[in-house]
Each structure stands twice: as structure tokens, then as C-alpha cells.
């Protein structure tokens, strides 16, 4: 009798263990299914378009947008190829939409209006190398993601990360590749030369009486930024309007000692010569714009900027009233 009881208990214990294992397996399966439905830790490939030949987007709320074309690996504005573009921004747009991934796929969506897709916030068109165009519609935010459809299809509806929107939120001024400014400060500025109306004034760091003016000039240069654009490629007529034609402009030529860091970035071979050499940087200052800024152009550049008049007064050395 005792032996039978032990056998029965043993059998029941075995059945209990099997049931526990089945329960754990089912729970694990359900957890994986829930995770897949929520889109967590998973990526759904939406497009694989390869290299694009053109890309355009429209902000439907404002009716504005931009269109780009690629030729020989370089992106251009479709309607104005003279505008120099910072390629990294357009490459980010291409990489995002040519190989778009989603965090969730809704195969049986509700009405498109429930996702803001009946009147999308953005419309994007990406054309591949064979001329095939894929159209994306971006709708409302879904927590940290956005709803999206492809080629105006009713289904499926996807959710994509906010990067699909953030890569579109740049104005043209941001996308333009600006002129670089060399590192010039009080420690390496050698001379500053200003030419206006045929008259040239020169300040030198070797002249102790001009040291304060040199410091003011260096400070003005250090505070100057070339970010706000007035023209992307100024015509002769615009240069005259801006006071940047040769007869009207003020020419600023800064001669400076090349730093070691500049030398290391240079493609030139003899670093010792570079360390001991000097370079020049030339700017043209135009007229007042009427809003506390002046028009500025870098020599050999077609871009025209707006720079604070107060900053430019320091650059001209007139921020220091003790110097003539």
C-alpha cells in the first residue's frame, strides 16, 4: 500500500512538472508575440531603393518644400544648381527613405484620417536610379514615432521613428555649405589691412602702440559668424545693391600666423615651412542692411552673409575709441 501511494505521488509530481513546463513555454510564446506586435526591438523593412537619383519633400502645412537631384554622386538643388549644398544633410535624407524601416506594421488599419494620413504633414518622393518613384505620406505623431504610408496605399500603415521627420526639418540656409573661417585670434594675427575709397589703413601686431587695436580687431573677427545668408550666389546687380561692388565695398585683409593644427590639416608636404609661414584671409564689407547688420562676402565666394554691424565695427578696429 505504501509503495502504491509513493508511485501515485511520484506520478502526480511528474504530471505537475510537465504542466509547469507547458505553462512557462506558453507564457514565453505569448510574451514574444506581444513584443512583436508592439514593434519593440524589431525593425520592419519598408523600402530598399538603392541609390537615389532625385529626392523631394513638401511640408503640407506651409506648402513649401525642396527638390534635389543627384549627378555623379553629388546632390544639387533641382531648380538652382549653383547653390553649394552640404552633402551630409541630403545624404541623411537619402539614407533614411531609400532604406526605410518601421517600428510597427498595421495590416488592417482604421480610416486614414485616424492617423492624420488623409491630409499628411509631409509628402516625400524618392526616385531610384531606374527612374521609379516611391511616394511617402507622413501623418500624425504616435508617441515618439509617426504614422506613414507608401504610395498612398490604404494599407499597411507603418509607424516610423522621428528621424523620418527630423531629416526634413531644415531650411535652405542650413543646407547651404558655408565658407570656412580660419582660426585667427590675438595670438596669431600679424596685420590687418582695410581699404576703402582707394585709401588703405594697416595695423600691425609689431607696433606696440597699435596692440589694443589689433586685440579689438581679433576680438571682432572671433565674434563673427558666417551663418545668415542674404544671397546664395550674388549677381553683379545684387552686389551693387549690397554695396559689395568693387567701387563701394570695404576690403579687409587679415594676415595671420598659421597654427600647427592648421598645418596638420593641410595637404602641403613641408610642415616646417607651414609652421613658420603666414596666410591671408580677405573679406568684403558692404552697406548696412537696415536691421543692424551689414552685407559681407568672402573673397572668391558667391555667397553673401548678414553680420552684426557692432561685430564688424570691432573687426574694423573702431570699437576701440583710443585708436585712430
Amino acid at each position: 500500500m505504501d509503495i502504491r501511494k509513493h508511485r501515485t505521488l511520484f506520478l502526480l509530481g511528474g504530471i505537475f512538472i510537465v504542466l509547469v513546463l507547458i505553462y512557462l513555454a506558453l507564457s514565453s510564446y505569448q510574451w514574444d508575440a506581444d513584443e512583436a506586435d508592439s514593434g519593440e526591438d524589431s525593425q520592419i523593412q519598408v523600402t530598399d531603393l538603392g541609390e537615389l537619383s532625385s529626392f523631394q519633400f513638401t511640408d503640407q502645412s506651409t506648402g513649401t518644400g525642396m527638390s534635389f537631384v543627384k549627378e555623379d554622386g553629388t546632390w544639387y538643388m533641382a531648380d538652382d544648381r549653383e547653390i553649394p549644398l552640404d552633402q551630409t544633410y541630403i545624404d541623411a535624407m537619402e539614407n533614411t527613405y531609400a532604406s526605410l524601416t518601421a517600428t510597427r506594421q498595421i495590416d488592417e488599419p482604421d480610416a486614414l484620417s485616424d492617423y492624420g494620413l488623409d491630409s499628411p504633414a509631409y509628402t516625400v518622393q524618392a526616385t531610384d536610379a531606374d527612374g521609379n518613384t516611391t511616394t511617402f505620406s507622413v501623418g500624425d505623431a504616435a508617441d515618439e514615432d509617426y504614422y506613414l504610408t507608401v504610395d498612398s496605399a490604404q494599407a499597411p500603415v507603418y509607424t516610423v521613428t522621428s528621424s523620418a521627420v527630423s531629416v526634413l526639418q531644415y531650411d535652405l540656409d542650413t543646407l547651404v555649405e558655408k565658407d570656412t573661417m580660419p582660426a585667427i585670434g590675438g595670438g596669431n594675427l600679424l596685420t590687418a589691412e582695410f581699404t576703402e575709397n582707394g585709401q588703405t589703413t594697416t595695423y600691425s601686431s609689431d607696433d606696440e602702440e597699435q596692440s589694443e587695436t589689433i586685440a579689438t580687431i581679433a576680438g571682432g573677427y572671433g565674434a563673427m559668424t558666417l551663418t545668415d545668408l542674404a544671397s546664395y550666389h550674388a549677381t553683379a546687380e545684387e552686389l551693387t545693391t549690397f554695396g559689395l561692388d568693387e567701387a563701394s565695398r570695404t576690403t579687409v585683409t587679415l594676415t595671420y600666423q598659421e597654427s600647427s593644427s592648421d598645418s596638420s590639416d593641410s595637404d602641403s608636404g613641408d610642415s616646417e615651412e607651414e609652421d613658420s609661414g603666414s596666410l591671408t584671409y580677405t573679406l568684403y564689407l558692404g552697406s548696412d542692411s537696415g536691421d543692424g547688420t551689414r552685407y559681407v562676402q568672402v573673397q572668391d565666394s558667391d555667397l553673401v552673409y548678414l553680420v552684426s554691424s557692432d561685430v564688424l565695427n570691432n573687426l574694423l578696429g573702431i570699437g576701440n575709441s583710443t585708436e585712430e
Side-chain angles (χ1 to χ4, degrees), residues 149-194:
T149 55
V150 180
D151 289 332
S152 301
Q154 181 75 27
V157 169
Y158 300 96
T159 59
V160 294
T161 64
S162 59
S163 62
V165 172
S166 62
V167 295
L168 308 176
Q169 294 178 326
Y170 296 108
D171 58 17
L172 185 54
D173 276 15
T174 303
L175 299 181
V176 171
E177 185 173 24
K178 313 297 193 304
D179 294 298
T180 58
M181 296 178 62
I184 304 176
N188 69 335
L189 177 59
L190 302 177
T191 62
E193 184 177 282
F194 308 110

Side-chain angles (χ1 to χ4, degrees), residues 249-285:
R249 69 195 182 195
T250 299
T251 300
V252 177
T253 301
L254 305 179
T255 303
Y256 63 98
Q257 187 77 36
E258 187 176 23
S259 66
S260 298
S261 60
D262 291 333
S263 300
S264 63
D265 292 337
S266 174
D267 293 331
S268 181
D270 194 340
S271 60
E272 288 188 9
E273 248 182 60
E274 292 166 355
D275 286 341
S276 60
S278 61
L279 297 174
T280 59
Y281 182 65
T282 300
L283 294 165
Y284 303 130
L285 310 186

Side-chain angles (χ1 to χ4, degrees), residues 230-244:
S231 178
Y232 304 114
H233 50 84
T235 62
E237 182 179 353
E238 283 181 314
L239 291 177
T240 300
T241 301
F242 297 150
L244 287 168

Side-chain angles (χ1 to χ4, degrees), residues 5-266:
K5 287 183 178 180
H6 283 300
R7 286 178 178 174
T8 301
L9 290 173
F10 181 78
L11 180 60
L12 292 173
I15 293 172
F16 176 76
I17 292 173
V18 171
L19 291 174
V20 170
L21 291 174
I22 292 173
Y23 172 78
L24 292 174
L26 289 174
S27 297
S28 176
Y29 174 82
Q30 184 62 43
W31 186 87
D32 289 340
D34 290 343
E35 183 182 76
D37 288 342
S38 68
E40 293 177 4
D41 299 325
S42 64
Q43 292 294 321
I44 301 165
Q45 195 71 38
V46 179
T47 57
D48 186 11
L49 306 181
E51 186 173 357
L52 301 182
S53 60
S54 69
F55 184 90
Q56 67 181 50
F57 68 90
T58 303
D59 181 341
Q60 300 291 2
S61 65
T62 62
T64 60
M66 284 182 271
S67 181
F68 311 95
V69 294
K70 181 188 276 189
E71 292 183 1
D72 298 325
T74 300
W75 285 105
Y76 299 92
M77 293 294 299
D79 59 352
D80 193 340
R81 303 192 183 196
E82 294 185 46
I83 299 176
L85 295 177
D86 187 331
Q87 298 293 303
T88 57
Y89 291 101
I90 323 300
D91 286 342
M93 297 178 193
E94 176 183 27
N95 294 337
T96 298
Y97 282 91
S99 183
L100 185 66
T101 58
T103 56
R104 187 183 175 201
Q105 178 175 318
I106 307 171
D107 291 318
E108 297 181 4
D110 297 326
L112 291 181
S113 58
D114 292 336
Y115 309 100
L117 290 165
D118 59 328
S119 181
Y122 290 92
T123 300
V124 177
Q125 291 184 315
T127 303
D128 64 20
D130 295 324
N132 303 308
T133 299
T134 302
T135 301
F136 305 85
S137 298
V138 182
D140 293 340
D143 294 326
E144 295 182 356
D145 296 341
Y146 286 85
Y147 293 111
L148 174 143
T149 55
V150 180
D151 289 332
S152 301
Q154 181 75 27
V157 169
Y158 300 96
T159 59
V160 294
T161 64
S162 59
S163 62
V165 172
S166 62
V167 295
L168 308 176
Q169 294 178 326
Y170 296 108
D171 58 17
L172 185 54
D173 276 15
T174 303
L175 299 181
V176 171
E177 185 173 24
K178 313 297 193 304
D179 294 298
T180 58
M181 296 178 62
I184 304 176
N188 69 335
L189 177 59
L190 302 177
T191 62
E193 184 177 282
F194 308 110
T195 300
E196 184 177 17
N197 298 324
Q199 302 294 318
T200 299
T201 302
T202 302
Y203 298 97
S204 172
S205 61
D206 291 335
D207 189 334
E208 292 185 3
E209 294 183 358
Q210 297 178 345
S211 60
E212 290 187 19
T213 302
I214 284 289
T216 299
I217 293 168
Y221 176 84
M224 186 174 65
T225 57
L226 300 180
T227 54
D228 296 331
L229 284 159
S231 178
Y232 304 114
H233 50 84
T235 62
E237 182 179 353
E238 283 181 314
L239 291 177
T240 300
T241 301
F242 297 150
L244 287 168
D245 57 292
E246 190 171 353
S248 305
R249 69 195 182 195
T250 299
T251 300
V252 177
T253 301
L254 305 179
T255 303
Y256 63 98
Q257 187 77 36
E258 187 176 23
S259 66
S260 298
S261 60
D262 291 333
S263 300
S264 63
D265 292 337
S266 174

